[in-house]
Amino acid sequence: MPDNQLTEIEKAIVRISRSVIIISILFLVVTGIFMITLFDMGTGTGANHPPVPEPQTVSSPSTSIETKKPEILNAAWTAPDESTLPSGKEGEIILYGKDLIAQTSTYLGPKGKVANISNGMNCQNCHLEAGTKAWGNNYSAVYSTYPKYRARSGTKETMVKRINDCFQRSLNGKALDSTSREMQAMLAYMKWLGSGVEKGKTPEGAGLQKLDFLDRAADSKKGALVFTNKCQSCHGKTGEGSPNAEQSGYLYPPLWGNNSYNDGAGLYRIIAFAGYVKNNMPLGATKENPQLTDEEAWDVAAYVNSQSRPHKNQSKDWKEISKKPVDFAFGPYADKFSEAQHKYGPFQPIVSAGNKLK
């Protein structure tokens, strides 16, 4: 029916119907645009949201692993935080063990308030930061690997035996009573430090790094220059060390002489000493930021270990001479090489001849 024939009421109804239709159409259009936008944002395919890449992986011969934080897979061991210490007496004995490691001389040195059985050095002079520093001869693998067989003694050794070896060699002293509160505290501390290490495993950063061999013997004359330039400010011109304020021990230990480690200590072996100084000396050095070259480390190790120091009778060590380490300084040997070459190198000819690096 034409509009001019409609009543005014009917015309009003038509106008309202048209408006409703137009509004409905507009609503549907806006809703459609909104839904499309939401879909684009959710899938990352909109103009302002590029596609999210799939996680990248790297492949090894045995497995594939995500590369979110690959450094964690090869991270060096770190000591547990002291906030995780057990409460009460158990925590107290662990902290006492730590104090004994850090201030051995205070308790067990020449003026020790518990006993007088060591030379004035502290355990942490060799086991840095109370045995917690990566590549600083730390205790991370002690609890996980002991008891274990050691060729030097030819026996299966306990942690007590190993600790007393240090007292008798590195501290040039006497064995600590295995039943004493001090021994039990050291054992508790080492057990706590290694509590996160799987039994039988040695974590990254334990012990000392073994440097690549030189193609020559380590040179003590060159090492003397390194010592003068880099070491004597702490350890003294004649390697005598620097005493602490209380005169009860050393702030910086003696590197030779009557108050230093004897020739039965682990650091008297030049391979161990070279790795030790490369990653830890001079003060402030780390594996990531060394202050010496490999050659300087080898040479200063030769210089320090060429100086006089207490002697330990080692006639009962290494009953199987074929098991002596390549850098063990005292014969007899199962090969034809001299004591001088076993002490200073070059070591590759010895290894090539059949002696294993132990």
mmCIF file of all heavy atoms in Angstrom, residues 211-214 216-231 270-282 285 289-305:
data_model
loop_
_atom_site.group_PDB
_atom_site.id
_atom_site.type_symbol
_atom_site.label_atom_id
_atom_site.label_comp_id
_atom_site.label_asym_id
_atom_site.label_seq_id
_atom_site.Cartn_x
_atom_site.Cartn_y
_atom_site.Cartn_z
ATOM 1 N N LEU A 211 94.834 -28.047 33.975
ATOM 2 C CA LEU A 211 95.189 -27.255 32.802
ATOM 3 C C LEU A 211 95.824 -28.138 31.735
ATOM 4 O O LEU A 211 96.370 -29.205 32.025
ATOM 5 C CB LEU A 211 96.176 -26.151 33.194
ATOM 6 C CG LEU A 211 95.749 -25.195 34.310
ATOM 7 C CD1 LEU A 211 96.829 -24.143 34.536
ATOM 8 C CD2 LEU A 211 94.419 -24.521 33.978
ATOM 9 N N ASP A 212 95.760 -27.675 30.495
ATOM 10 C CA ASP A 212 96.463 -28.374 29.423
ATOM 11 C C ASP A 212 97.964 -28.389 29.727
ATOM 12 O O ASP A 212 98.517 -27.401 30.236
ATOM 13 C CB ASP A 212 96.225 -27.684 28.087
ATOM 14 C CG ASP A 212 94.781 -27.830 27.610
ATOM 15 O OD1 ASP A 212 94.104 -28.773 28.073
ATOM 16 O OD2 ASP A 212 94.353 -27.006 26.786
ATOM 17 N N PHE A 213 98.623 -29.491 29.381
ATOM 18 C CA PHE A 213 100.056 -29.589 29.608
ATOM 19 C C PHE A 213 100.823 -28.572 28.768
ATOM 20 O O PHE A 213 100.431 -28.256 27.635
ATOM 21 C CB PHE A 213 100.566 -30.980 29.237
ATOM 22 C CG PHE A 213 100.085 -32.086 30.137
ATOM 23 C CD1 PHE A 213 99.931 -33.370 29.640
ATOM 24 C CD2 PHE A 213 99.788 -31.856 31.467
ATOM 25 C CE1 PHE A 213 99.497 -34.402 30.448
ATOM 26 C CE2 PHE A 213 99.351 -32.878 32.291
ATOM 27 C CZ PHE A 213 99.203 -34.156 31.775
ATOM 28 N N LEU A 214 101.914 -28.088 29.324
ATOM 29 C CA LEU A 214 102.875 -27.328 28.530
ATOM 30 C C LEU A 214 103.689 -28.304 27.697
ATOM 31 O O LEU A 214 103.818 -29.484 28.029
ATOM 32 C CB LEU A 214 103.819 -26.542 29.447
ATOM 33 C CG LEU A 214 103.216 -25.482 30.380
ATOM 34 C CD1 LEU A 214 104.322 -24.841 31.218
ATOM 35 C CD2 LEU A 214 102.452 -24.432 29.601
ATOM 36 N N ARG A 216 106.773 -28.034 27.514
ATOM 37 C CA ARG A 216 108.074 -27.880 28.175
ATOM 38 C C ARG A 216 107.898 -28.126 29.652
ATOM 39 O O ARG A 216 106.773 -28.272 30.147
ATOM 40 C CB ARG A 216 108.630 -26.472 27.945
ATOM 41 C CG ARG A 216 107.713 -25.368 28.502
ATOM 42 C CD ARG A 216 108.363 -24.010 28.471
ATOM 43 N NE ARG A 216 107.485 -22.916 28.853
ATOM 44 C CZ ARG A 216 107.228 -22.549 30.111
ATOM 45 N NH1 ARG A 216 107.767 -23.231 31.138
ATOM 46 N NH2 ARG A 216 106.435 -21.526 30.359
ATOM 47 N N ALA A 217 109.001 -28.152 30.362
ATOM 48 C CA ALA A 217 108.916 -28.231 31.817
ATOM 49 C C ALA A 217 108.472 -26.880 32.369
ATOM 50 O O ALA A 217 108.792 -25.818 31.807
ATOM 51 C CB ALA A 217 110.276 -28.608 32.399
ATOM 52 N N ALA A 218 107.710 -26.893 33.450
ATOM 53 C CA ALA A 218 107.373 -25.644 34.141
ATOM 54 C C ALA A 218 108.671 -25.018 34.656
ATOM 55 O O ALA A 218 109.565 -25.709 35.148
ATOM 56 C CB ALA A 218 106.418 -25.920 35.288
ATOM 57 N N ASP A 219 108.781 -23.692 34.539
ATOM 58 C CA ASP A 219 110.039 -22.986 34.776
ATOM 59 C C ASP A 219 109.964 -22.176 36.077
ATOM 60 O O ASP A 219 109.260 -21.169 36.147
ATOM 61 C CB ASP A 219 110.319 -22.062 33.593
ATOM 62 C CG ASP A 219 111.711 -21.460 33.610
ATOM 63 O OD1 ASP A 219 112.264 -21.267 34.711
ATOM 64 O OD2 ASP A 219 112.235 -21.155 32.521
ATOM 65 N N SER A 220 110.697 -22.600 37.090
ATOM 66 C CA SER A 220 110.649 -21.917 38.383
ATOM 67 C C SER A 220 111.256 -20.514 38.315
ATOM 68 O O SER A 220 110.868 -19.631 39.083
ATOM 69 C CB SER A 220 111.360 -22.748 39.453
ATOM 70 O OG SER A 220 112.715 -22.946 39.122
ATOM 71 N N LYS A 221 112.200 -20.283 37.401
ATOM 72 C CA LYS A 221 112.779 -18.937 37.269
ATOM 73 C C LYS A 221 111.746 -17.956 36.724
ATOM 74 O O LYS A 221 111.636 -16.825 37.213
ATOM 75 C CB LYS A 221 114.014 -18.990 36.369
ATOM 76 C CG LYS A 221 115.198 -19.720 36.991
ATOM 77 C CD LYS A 221 116.418 -19.678 36.091
ATOM 78 C CE LYS A 221 117.607 -20.384 36.734
ATOM 79 N NZ LYS A 221 118.804 -20.387 35.865
ATOM 80 N N LYS A 222 111.012 -18.387 35.730
ATOM 81 C CA LYS A 222 109.928 -17.529 35.238
ATOM 82 C C LYS A 222 108.859 -17.376 36.317
ATOM 83 O O LYS A 222 108.262 -16.311 36.467
ATOM 84 C CB LYS A 222 109.314 -18.139 33.975
ATOM 85 C CG LYS A 222 110.219 -18.114 32.763
ATOM 86 C CD LYS A 222 109.510 -18.719 31.550
ATOM 87 C CE LYS A 222 110.382 -18.666 30.314
ATOM 88 N NZ LYS A 222 109.715 -19.265 29.130
ATOM 89 N N GLY A 223 108.635 -18.445 37.062
ATOM 90 C CA GLY A 223 107.650 -18.397 38.130
ATOM 91 C C GLY A 223 108.015 -17.423 39.231
ATOM 92 O O GLY A 223 107.131 -16.825 39.864
ATOM 93 N N ALA A 224 109.321 -17.235 39.466
ATOM 94 C CA ALA A 224 109.762 -16.278 40.480
ATOM 95 C C ALA A 224 109.321 -14.865 40.118
ATOM 96 O O ALA A 224 108.936 -14.070 40.993
ATOM 97 C CB ALA A 224 111.279 -16.344 40.639
ATOM 98 N N LEU A 225 109.354 -14.537 38.834
ATOM 99 C CA LEU A 225 108.912 -13.215 38.389
ATOM 100 C C LEU A 225 107.410 -13.050 38.584
ATOM 101 O O LEU A 225 106.940 -11.989 38.997
ATOM 102 C CB LEU A 225 109.284 -13.014 36.919
ATOM 103 C CG LEU A 225 110.781 -13.010 36.592
ATOM 104 C CD1 LEU A 225 110.991 -12.895 35.081
ATOM 105 C CD2 LEU A 225 111.479 -11.865 37.312
ATOM 106 N N VAL A 226 106.663 -14.114 38.286
ATOM 107 C CA VAL A 226 105.208 -14.065 38.503
ATOM 108 C C VAL A 226 104.923 -13.867 39.985
ATOM 109 O O VAL A 226 104.072 -13.057 40.365
ATOM 110 C CB VAL A 226 104.542 -15.365 38.004
ATOM 111 C CG1 VAL A 226 103.035 -15.330 38.291
ATOM 112 C CG2 VAL A 226 104.790 -15.567 36.516
ATOM 113 N N PHE A 227 105.639 -14.593 40.827
ATOM 114 C CA PHE A 227 105.433 -14.477 42.266
ATOM 115 C C PHE A 227 105.701 -13.050 42.745
ATOM 116 O O PHE A 227 104.923 -12.485 43.518
ATOM 117 C CB PHE A 227 106.331 -15.458 43.023
ATOM 118 C CG PHE A 227 106.113 -15.447 44.509
ATOM 119 C CD1 PHE A 227 105.105 -16.204 45.081
ATOM 120 C CD2 PHE A 227 106.895 -14.655 45.335
ATOM 121 C CE1 PHE A 227 104.879 -16.175 46.453
ATOM 122 C CE2 PHE A 227 106.685 -14.618 46.704
ATOM 123 C CZ PHE A 227 105.667 -15.382 47.265
ATOM 124 N N THR A 228 106.791 -12.473 42.288
ATOM 125 C CA THR A 228 107.143 -11.113 42.697
ATOM 126 C C THR A 228 106.075 -10.112 42.272
ATOM 127 O O THR A 228 105.686 -9.225 43.046
ATOM 128 C CB THR A 228 108.498 -10.708 42.100
ATOM 129 O OG1 THR A 228 109.519 -11.584 42.604
ATOM 130 C CG2 THR A 228 108.859 -9.277 42.472
ATOM 131 N N ASN A 229 105.577 -10.266 41.067
ATOM 132 C CA ASN A 229 104.627 -9.296 40.519
ATOM 133 C C ASN A 229 103.194 -9.501 40.992
ATOM 134 O O ASN A 229 102.432 -8.539 41.120
ATOM 135 C CB ASN A 229 104.662 -9.347 38.985
ATOM 136 C CG ASN A 229 105.982 -8.866 38.414
ATOM 137 O OD1 ASN A 229 106.652 -8.023 39.002
ATOM 138 N ND2 ASN A 229 106.368 -9.423 37.274
ATOM 139 N N LYS A 230 102.836 -10.743 41.275
ATOM 140 C CA LYS A 230 101.430 -11.031 41.525
ATOM 141 C C LYS A 230 101.121 -11.609 42.907
ATOM 142 O O LYS A 230 99.955 -11.602 43.316
ATOM 143 C CB LYS A 230 100.918 -12.019 40.465
ATOM 144 C CG LYS A 230 101.063 -11.556 39.018
ATOM 145 C CD LYS A 230 100.100 -10.445 38.686
ATOM 146 C CE LYS A 230 100.199 -10.025 37.226
ATOM 147 N NZ LYS A 230 99.716 -11.044 36.277
ATOM 148 N N CYS A 231 102.108 -12.126 43.612
ATOM 149 C CA CYS A 231 101.816 -12.922 44.814
ATOM 150 C C CYS A 231 102.431 -12.403 46.112
ATOM 151 O O CYS A 231 101.854 -12.580 47.189
ATOM 152 C CB CYS A 231 102.277 -14.370 44.621
ATOM 153 S SG CYS A 231 101.770 -15.129 43.072
ATOM 154 N N ILE A 270 102.263 -30.438 41.236
ATOM 155 C CA ILE A 270 102.229 -29.212 40.442
ATOM 156 C C ILE A 270 100.981 -29.102 39.569
ATOM 157 O O ILE A 270 100.487 -27.991 39.318
ATOM 158 C CB ILE A 270 103.516 -29.107 39.585
ATOM 159 C CG1 ILE A 270 103.640 -27.706 38.986
ATOM 160 C CG2 ILE A 270 103.572 -30.185 38.533
ATOM 161 C CD1 ILE A 270 104.958 -27.482 38.266
ATOM 162 N N ILE A 271 100.429 -30.234 39.111
ATOM 163 C CA ILE A 271 99.207 -30.160 38.301
ATOM 164 C C ILE A 271 98.070 -29.576 39.128
ATOM 165 O O ILE A 271 97.299 -28.737 38.653
ATOM 166 C CB ILE A 271 98.838 -31.546 37.742
ATOM 167 C CG1 ILE A 271 99.864 -31.964 36.681
ATOM 168 C CG2 ILE A 271 97.440 -31.541 37.142
ATOM 169 C CD1 ILE A 271 99.665 -33.382 36.147
ATOM 170 N N ALA A 272 97.958 -30.007 40.373
ATOM 171 C CA ALA A 272 96.922 -29.477 41.259
ATOM 172 C C ALA A 272 97.164 -28.000 41.553
ATOM 173 O O ALA A 272 96.246 -27.177 41.506
ATOM 174 C CB ALA A 272 96.873 -30.278 42.556
ATOM 175 N N PHE A 273 98.416 -27.650 41.847
ATOM 176 C CA PHE A 273 98.722 -26.268 42.215
ATOM 177 C C PHE A 273 98.481 -25.322 41.041
ATOM 178 O O PHE A 273 97.945 -24.224 41.207
ATOM 179 C CB PHE A 273 100.170 -26.161 42.706
ATOM 180 C CG PHE A 273 100.445 -24.924 43.521
ATOM 181 C CD1 PHE A 273 100.637 -25.014 44.891
ATOM 182 C CD2 PHE A 273 100.485 -23.664 42.933
ATOM 183 C CE1 PHE A 273 100.885 -23.868 45.650
ATOM 184 C CE2 PHE A 273 100.727 -22.521 43.691
ATOM 185 C CZ PHE A 273 100.928 -22.627 45.055
ATOM 186 N N ALA A 274 98.868 -25.723 39.843
ATOM 187 C CA ALA A 274 98.684 -24.859 38.674
ATOM 188 C C ALA A 274 97.200 -24.573 38.435
ATOM 189 O O ALA A 274 96.805 -23.431 38.178
ATOM 190 C CB ALA A 274 99.312 -25.504 37.442
ATOM 191 N N GLY A 275 96.357 -25.600 38.527
ATOM 192 C CA GLY A 275 94.925 -25.385 38.356
ATOM 193 C C GLY A 275 94.338 -24.530 39.459
ATOM 194 O O GLY A 275 93.437 -23.710 39.228
ATOM 195 N N TYR A 276 94.867 -24.704 40.655
ATOM 196 C CA TYR A 276 94.395 -23.938 41.812
ATOM 197 C C TYR A 276 94.666 -22.445 41.622
ATOM 198 O O TYR A 276 93.762 -21.610 41.770
ATOM 199 C CB TYR A 276 95.093 -24.455 43.062
ATOM 200 C CG TYR A 276 94.726 -23.755 44.346
ATOM 201 C CD1 TYR A 276 93.545 -24.065 45.006
ATOM 202 C CD2 TYR A 276 95.563 -22.799 44.912
ATOM 203 C CE1 TYR A 276 93.207 -23.444 46.201
ATOM 204 C CE2 TYR A 276 95.239 -22.177 46.097
ATOM 205 C CZ TYR A 276 94.069 -22.494 46.742
ATOM 206 O OH TYR A 276 93.733 -21.875 47.921
ATOM 207 N N VAL A 277 95.907 -22.091 41.281
ATOM 208 C CA VAL A 277 96.233 -20.669 41.166
ATOM 209 C C VAL A 277 95.592 -20.045 39.925
ATOM 210 O O VAL A 277 95.217 -18.862 39.946
ATOM 211 C CB VAL A 277 97.760 -20.420 41.178
ATOM 212 C CG1 VAL A 277 98.366 -20.884 42.481
ATOM 213 C CG2 VAL A 277 98.460 -21.073 40.003
ATOM 214 N N LYS A 278 95.424 -20.804 38.858
ATOM 215 C CA LYS A 278 94.851 -20.236 37.626
ATOM 216 C C LYS A 278 93.447 -19.690 37.885
ATOM 217 O O LYS A 278 93.092 -18.607 37.406
ATOM 218 C CB LYS A 278 94.816 -21.297 36.529
ATOM 219 C CG LYS A 278 94.114 -20.859 35.238
ATOM 220 C CD LYS A 278 94.836 -19.690 34.564
ATOM 221 C CE LYS A 278 94.032 -19.102 33.410
ATOM 222 N NZ LYS A 278 93.928 -20.000 32.264
ATOM 223 N N ASN A 279 92.639 -20.413 38.643
ATOM 224 C CA ASN A 279 91.243 -20.026 38.837
ATOM 225 C C ASN A 279 90.976 -19.253 40.120
ATOM 226 O O ASN A 279 89.837 -18.820 40.340
ATOM 227 C CB ASN A 279 90.355 -21.268 38.822
ATOM 228 C CG ASN A 279 90.318 -21.913 37.454
ATOM 229 O OD1 ASN A 279 90.366 -21.232 36.444
ATOM 230 N ND2 ASN A 279 90.233 -23.228 37.424
ATOM 231 N N ASN A 280 92.004 -19.070 40.950
ATOM 232 C CA ASN A 280 91.758 -18.466 42.269
ATOM 233 C C ASN A 280 92.746 -17.390 42.699
ATOM 234 O O ASN A 280 92.483 -16.690 43.665
ATOM 235 C CB ASN A 280 91.741 -19.572 43.332
ATOM 236 C CG ASN A 280 90.673 -20.604 43.081
ATOM 237 O OD1 ASN A 280 89.489 -20.336 43.222
ATOM 238 N ND2 ASN A 280 91.083 -21.807 42.686
ATOM 239 N N MET A 281 93.869 -17.275 42.017
ATOM 240 C CA MET A 281 94.906 -16.345 42.441
ATOM 241 C C MET A 281 95.352 -15.480 41.270
ATOM 242 O O MET A 281 95.325 -15.932 40.126
ATOM 243 C CB MET A 281 96.103 -17.118 43.013
ATOM 244 C CG MET A 281 95.769 -17.956 44.229
ATOM 245 S SD MET A 281 95.301 -16.920 45.639
ATOM 246 C CE MET A 281 94.285 -18.073 46.580
ATOM 247 N N PRO A 282 95.795 -14.234 41.570
ATOM 248 C CA PRO A 282 95.757 -13.534 42.851
ATOM 249 C C PRO A 282 94.322 -13.340 43.350
ATOM 250 O O PRO A 282 93.373 -13.642 42.639
ATOM 251 C CB PRO A 282 96.429 -12.193 42.542
ATOM 252 C CG PRO A 282 97.188 -12.410 41.287
ATOM 253 C CD PRO A 282 96.404 -13.428 40.518
ATOM 254 N N ALA A 285 90.544 -13.578 41.603
ATOM 255 C CA ALA A 285 90.463 -14.320 40.348
ATOM 256 C C ALA A 285 89.393 -15.404 40.437
ATOM 257 O O ALA A 285 89.144 -15.969 41.500
ATOM 258 C CB ALA A 285 91.821 -14.945 40.024
ATOM 259 N N ASN A 289 87.089 -15.219 35.213
ATOM 260 C CA ASN A 289 87.928 -14.022 35.112
ATOM 261 C C ASN A 289 89.296 -14.261 35.752
ATOM 262 O O ASN A 289 89.623 -13.702 36.803
ATOM 263 C CB ASN A 289 87.237 -12.830 35.794
ATOM 264 C CG ASN A 289 85.957 -12.437 35.109
ATOM 265 O OD1 ASN A 289 85.963 -11.918 34.001
ATOM 266 N ND2 ASN A 289 84.831 -12.687 35.773
ATOM 267 N N PRO A 290 90.126 -15.105 35.116
ATOM 268 C CA PRO A 290 91.460 -15.376 35.669
ATOM 269 C C PRO A 290 92.382 -14.173 35.502
ATOM 270 O O PRO A 290 92.170 -13.317 34.633
ATOM 271 C CB PRO A 290 91.942 -16.566 34.835
ATOM 272 C CG PRO A 290 91.238 -16.402 33.521
ATOM 273 C CD PRO A 290 89.885 -15.841 33.858
ATOM 274 N N GLN A 291 93.410 -14.121 36.334
ATOM 275 C CA GLN A 291 94.384 -13.037 36.251
ATOM 276 C C GLN A 291 95.751 -13.524 35.798
ATOM 277 O O GLN A 291 96.660 -12.727 35.590
ATOM 278 C CB GLN A 291 94.507 -12.348 37.619
ATOM 279 C CG GLN A 291 93.212 -11.700 38.090
ATOM 280 C CD GLN A 291 93.374 -10.962 39.407
ATOM 281 O OE1 GLN A 291 94.406 -10.362 39.672
ATOM 282 N NE2 GLN A 291 92.352 -11.010 40.241
ATOM 283 N N LEU A 292 95.897 -14.829 35.634
ATOM 284 C CA LEU A 292 97.143 -15.415 35.157
ATOM 285 C C LEU A 292 96.886 -16.197 33.881
ATOM 286 O O LEU A 292 95.804 -16.751 33.689
ATOM 287 C CB LEU A 292 97.737 -16.370 36.202
ATOM 288 C CG LEU A 292 98.083 -15.813 37.587
ATOM 289 C CD1 LEU A 292 98.577 -16.938 38.490
ATOM 290 C CD2 LEU A 292 99.120 -14.709 37.493
ATOM 291 N N THR A 293 97.884 -16.256 33.024
ATOM 292 C CA THR A 293 97.808 -17.155 31.878
ATOM 293 C C THR A 293 98.109 -18.575 32.348
ATOM 294 O O THR A 293 98.605 -18.786 33.463
ATOM 295 C CB THR A 293 98.825 -16.760 30.807
ATOM 296 O OG1 THR A 293 100.152 -16.950 31.324
ATOM 297 C CG2 THR A 293 98.648 -15.293 30.396
ATOM 298 N N ASP A 294 97.838 -19.555 31.494
ATOM 299 C CA ASP A 294 98.176 -20.931 31.848
ATOM 300 C C ASP A 294 99.668 -21.072 32.120
ATOM 301 O O ASP A 294 100.077 -21.731 33.081
ATOM 302 C CB ASP A 294 97.773 -21.884 30.721
ATOM 303 C CG ASP A 294 96.285 -22.195 30.720
ATOM 304 O OD1 ASP A 294 95.524 -21.491 31.429
ATOM 305 O OD2 ASP A 294 95.874 -23.132 30.015
ATOM 306 N N GLU A 295 100.501 -20.478 31.289
ATOM 307 C CA GLU A 295 101.950 -20.594 31.473
ATOM 308 C C GLU A 295 102.391 -19.964 32.788
ATOM 309 O O GLU A 295 103.232 -20.515 33.505
ATOM 310 C CB GLU A 295 102.695 -19.957 30.294
ATOM 311 C CG GLU A 295 102.614 -20.772 29.013
ATOM 312 C CD GLU A 295 103.741 -20.436 28.051
ATOM 313 O OE1 GLU A 295 104.508 -19.486 28.320
ATOM 314 O OE2 GLU A 295 103.871 -21.137 27.025
ATOM 315 N N GLU A 296 101.818 -18.817 33.126
ATOM 316 C CA GLU A 296 102.158 -18.189 34.406
ATOM 317 C C GLU A 296 101.750 -19.074 35.569
ATOM 318 O O GLU A 296 102.478 -19.183 36.571
ATOM 319 C CB GLU A 296 101.473 -16.824 34.511
ATOM 320 C CG GLU A 296 102.068 -15.753 33.627
ATOM 321 C CD GLU A 296 101.289 -14.452 33.685
ATOM 322 O OE1 GLU A 296 100.040 -14.504 33.805
ATOM 323 O OE2 GLU A 296 101.911 -13.373 33.597
ATOM 324 N N ALA A 297 100.596 -19.717 35.450
ATOM 325 C CA ALA A 297 100.130 -20.597 36.524
ATOM 326 C C ALA A 297 101.075 -21.787 36.704
ATOM 327 O O ALA A 297 101.433 -22.144 37.825
ATOM 328 C CB ALA A 297 98.709 -21.071 36.226
ATOM 329 N N TRP A 298 101.452 -22.416 35.601
ATOM 330 C CA TRP A 298 102.399 -23.537 35.679
ATOM 331 C C TRP A 298 103.731 -23.091 36.286
ATOM 332 O O TRP A 298 104.294 -23.766 37.166
ATOM 333 C CB TRP A 298 102.650 -24.107 34.287
ATOM 334 C CG TRP A 298 101.613 -25.038 33.756
ATOM 335 C CD1 TRP A 298 100.717 -24.797 32.751
ATOM 336 C CD2 TRP A 298 101.351 -26.377 34.185
ATOM 337 N NE1 TRP A 298 99.922 -25.891 32.537
ATOM 338 C CE2 TRP A 298 100.292 -26.884 33.391
ATOM 339 C CE3 TRP A 298 101.911 -27.197 35.164
ATOM 340 C CZ2 TRP A 298 99.789 -28.171 33.546
ATOM 341 C CZ3 TRP A 298 101.415 -28.482 35.316
ATOM 342 C CH2 TRP A 298 100.360 -28.965 34.519
ATOM 343 N N ASP A 299 104.241 -21.952 35.831
ATOM 344 C CA ASP A 299 105.568 -21.516 36.265
ATOM 345 C C ASP A 299 105.590 -21.086 37.727
ATOM 346 O O ASP A 299 106.536 -21.391 38.460
ATOM 347 C CB ASP A 299 106.073 -20.385 35.362
ATOM 348 C CG ASP A 299 106.399 -20.857 33.946
ATOM 349 O OD1 ASP A 299 106.646 -22.072 33.773
ATOM 350 O OD2 ASP A 299 106.406 -20.021 33.022
ATOM 351 N N VAL A 300 104.550 -20.382 38.175
ATOM 352 C CA VAL A 300 104.545 -19.970 39.585
ATOM 353 C C VAL A 300 104.334 -21.185 40.485
ATOM 354 O O VAL A 300 104.874 -21.243 41.601
ATOM 355 C CB VAL A 300 103.498 -18.865 39.845
ATOM 356 C CG1 VAL A 300 102.073 -19.422 39.924
ATOM 357 C CG2 VAL A 300 103.836 -18.106 41.122
ATOM 358 N N ALA A 301 103.613 -22.175 40.002
ATOM 359 C CA ALA A 301 103.466 -23.419 40.767
ATOM 360 C C ALA A 301 104.823 -24.098 40.913
ATOM 361 O O ALA A 301 105.166 -24.620 41.986
ATOM 362 C CB ALA A 301 102.470 -24.344 40.069
ATOM 363 N N ALA A 302 105.600 -24.099 39.838
ATOM 364 C CA ALA A 302 106.943 -24.684 39.897
ATOM 365 C C ALA A 302 107.827 -23.925 40.884
ATOM 366 O O ALA A 302 108.586 -24.533 41.652
ATOM 367 C CB ALA A 302 107.581 -24.670 38.506
ATOM 368 N N TYR A 303 107.710 -22.607 40.880
ATOM 369 C CA TYR A 303 108.529 -21.805 41.791
ATOM 370 C C TYR A 303 108.173 -22.078 43.247
ATOM 371 O O TYR A 303 109.047 -22.343 44.080
ATOM 372 C CB TYR A 303 108.354 -20.323 41.481
ATOM 373 C CG TYR A 303 109.071 -19.419 42.468
ATOM 374 C CD1 TYR A 303 110.459 -19.382 42.526
ATOM 375 C CD2 TYR A 303 108.350 -18.614 43.358
ATOM 376 C CE1 TYR A 303 111.127 -18.570 43.428
ATOM 377 C CE2 TYR A 303 109.007 -17.797 44.269
ATOM 378 C CZ TYR A 303 110.391 -17.781 44.304
ATOM 379 O OH TYR A 303 111.042 -16.986 45.216
ATOM 380 N N VAL A 304 106.890 -22.034 43.568
ATOM 381 C CA VAL A 304 106.464 -22.240 44.955
ATOM 382 C C VAL A 304 106.865 -23.631 45.437
ATOM 383 O O VAL A 304 107.405 -23.797 46.539
ATOM 384 C CB VAL A 304 104.942 -22.038 45.086
ATOM 385 C CG1 VAL A 304 104.438 -22.509 46.449
ATOM 386 C CG2 VAL A 304 104.586 -20.565 44.878
ATOM 387 N N ASN A 305 106.653 -24.636 44.611
ATOM 388 C CA ASN A 305 106.936 -26.001 45.048
ATOM 389 C C ASN A 305 108.403 -26.401 44.894
ATOM 390 O O ASN A 305 108.776 -27.533 45.201
ATOM 391 C CB ASN A 305 106.023 -26.992 44.321
ATOM 392 C CG ASN A 305 104.639 -27.029 44.933
ATOM 393 O OD1 ASN A 305 104.432 -26.626 46.075
ATOM 394 N ND2 ASN A 305 103.658 -27.497 44.174
#
